[in-house]
Amino acid sequence: MSTTSDTQRASVLLGTEDLTIEDRPVPEVEPGDVLVRVAAVGVCGSDVHYYRHGRIGDFVVEEPLVLGHELSGTIAAVGEGVDPGRVGERVAVEPQRPCHRCAQCLAGRYNLCPHMRFYATPPVDGAFAEYVTIESEFAHTLPDTVSFEAGALLEPLSVGIAAARKAGIVPGSSVLIAGAGPIGVICAQVARAFGATRVVVSDLVPERRERALSFGATEVVDPVAVDVTSDIVPVDAFIDASGAPRAVSDGIKAVGPAGAAVLVGLGNSEMVLPVEHIQNLEVTVTGIFRYTNTWPVAIGLVASGQIDLDALVTGRFGLDEVREALESDTDPASLKSVVYPNGVPAGE
């Protein structure tokens, strides 16, 4: 093991808006696992939600929890059965541990594994810490041309890829995306990379609409000023990255015959949907729950230059600044904040 101590520093959520730094043991490397020295961790909306509200649906923070699940780093040690030549390898971590044995795993839908242990989802600790462990197959090799920041953001990119797959986006598709936050602009980039020729992004905030034009949108609309159900030509697909009930309902109504609507944003647990439109036009309405087998595609899209993740980063924070990172979403200019558990690199 290349660590210099048996302990590490971690940012721990003790309760709503209550964070502290703790010294914790460096995790033991089990057979088949690798120990990763964490380089960069993206701040996700779910991290912010746990920080502010202590829960997301049925997932409740009932004991101290380390947040953070979008991460990259360097392999510091390997467990039994893993090639020792991987030590020193730059990796992006797919932050989940499925059981590999249940019906969903065996069907290739390991994201739906009922026994899943997902980083930063109670009671599983996440990556706002100096070291983490993960199964070796979920530590994906990063090309030297892909930065640690981009490597960390392969996780939200995977959400965008999963949404685009569910939406059936192919060359020539037209897509409406509600919400120009981090996931919305990533979905816009993915849609263009998948061949969509028309990508309409709606958002209430003018600055966000303007920014979306730099991240794949071919046009942007203010949903207050424009009725997307009638003022835009029916689209082949709708992706909701807002969670707003009105945006979901209007977005579905904007979908043409045999199109698809994919719900990604975290919104109300129940909402009213335009059932007549869904039935009469045979619109497929579905959600996504994380992702499956997306990292190879994500790495390829970034390495080839089709997706730009580095440009999403608007804030960089050390481990002692996790509170500031989690609260940075209140700044309209903020898009994606990154935490560096082992220190912000010089020049960043």
Side-chain angles (χ1 to χ4, degrees):
M1 182 182 296
S2 59
T3 59
T4 58
S5 172
D6 292 332
T7 62
Q8 63 165 339
R9 297 172 75 241
S11 175
V12 183
L13 181 68
L14 300 178
T16 303
E17 297 187 349
D18 185 8
L19 290 167
T20 190
I21 297 292
E22 291 184 1
D23 288 328
R24 291 188 166 194
V26 172
E28 295 185 8
V29 192
E30 301 294 334
D33 281 6
V34 296
L35 178 71
V36 177
R37 184 177 188 270
V38 181
V41 189
V43 174
C44 176
S46 64
D47 296 318
V48 176
H49 210 81
Y50 282 127
Y51 169 71
R52 291 204 175 111
H53 306 290
R55 67 183 301 154
I56 297 177
D58 294 334
F59 298 108
V60 181
V61 180
E62 296 179 335
E63 56 189 48
L65 180 72
V66 177
L67 296 172
H69 62 267
E70 306 174 359
L71 71 143
S72 63
T74 303
I75 294 179
V78 300
E80 180 183 347
V82 181
D83 179 5
R86 295 200 68 184
V87 173
E89 186 177 301
R90 301 170 70 252
V91 295
V93 172
E94 183 174 347
Q96 46 190 352
R97 287 181 180 270
C99 75
H100 302 292
R101 296 182 298 275
C102 70
Q104 297 303 318
C105 285
L106 294 177
R109 298 184 294 265
Y110 61 82
N111 60 313
L112 300 180
C113 172
H115 312 292
M116 174 68 74
R117 292 178 59 80
F118 193 90
Y119 275 28
T121 299
V124 182
D125 283 327
F128 287 157
E130 293 177 323
Y131 291 90
V132 299
T133 58
I134 194 69
E135 291 174 298
S136 61
E137 60 265 37
F138 288 128
H140 301 273
T141 305
L142 276 182
D144 291 337
T145 54
V146 177
S147 70
F148 278 126
E149 288 184 346
L153 300 187
L154 292 176
E155 198 278 343
L157 175 54
S158 287
V159 173
I161 291 170
R165 286 173 172 171
K166 284 279 191 178
I169 296 174
V170 296
S173 290
S174 58
V175 186
L176 170 65
I177 299 170
I183 292 298
V185 298
I186 285 175
C187 285
Q189 286 199 77
V190 173
R192 291 295 297 275
F194 275 35
T197 51
R198 186 181 186 216
V199 180
V200 184
V201 176
S202 69
D203 198 283
L204 295 170
V205 182
E207 293 84 359
R208 288 189 169 188
R209 293 198 299 270
E210 184 65 26
R211 186 167 56 195
L213 292 170
S214 302
F215 289 101
T218 60
E219 57 192 279
V220 294
V221 296
D222 179 350
V224 173
V226 175
D227 184 353
V228 299
T229 68
S230 60
D231 292 350
I232 66 172
V233 175
V235 294
D236 301 311
F238 165 63
I239 297 174
D240 177 69
S242 72
R246 175 68 181 274
V248 171
S249 179
D250 287 354
I252 292 173
K253 292 177 184 177
V255 177
V262 182
L263 309 185
V264 181
L266 293 173
N268 297 349
S269 58
E270 296 184 3
M271 61 181 69
V272 177
L273 298 181
V275 175
E276 185 176 4
H277 181 88
I278 293 168
Q279 289 180 320
N280 291 349
L281 275 69
E282 294 193 357
V283 174
T284 298
V285 179
T286 186
I288 64 162
F289 189 66
R290 299 169 183 155
Y291 31 69
T292 303
N293 298 320
T294 52
W295 256 255
V297 173
I299 291 171
L301 288 173
V302 174
S304 66
Q306 295 181 76
I307 298 286
D308 183 2
L309 296 178
D310 291 304
L312 297 174
V313 179
T314 52
R316 297 173 174 87
F317 302 86
L319 196 62
D320 295 303
E321 302 168 310
V322 167
R323 182 184 305 277
E324 291 84 349
L326 290 167
E327 295 178 351
S328 63
D329 68 317
T330 59
D331 181 356
S334 175
L335 186 56
K336 200 69 181 177
S337 293
V338 174
V339 172
Y340 294 85
N342 283 285
V344 180
E348 297 292 352

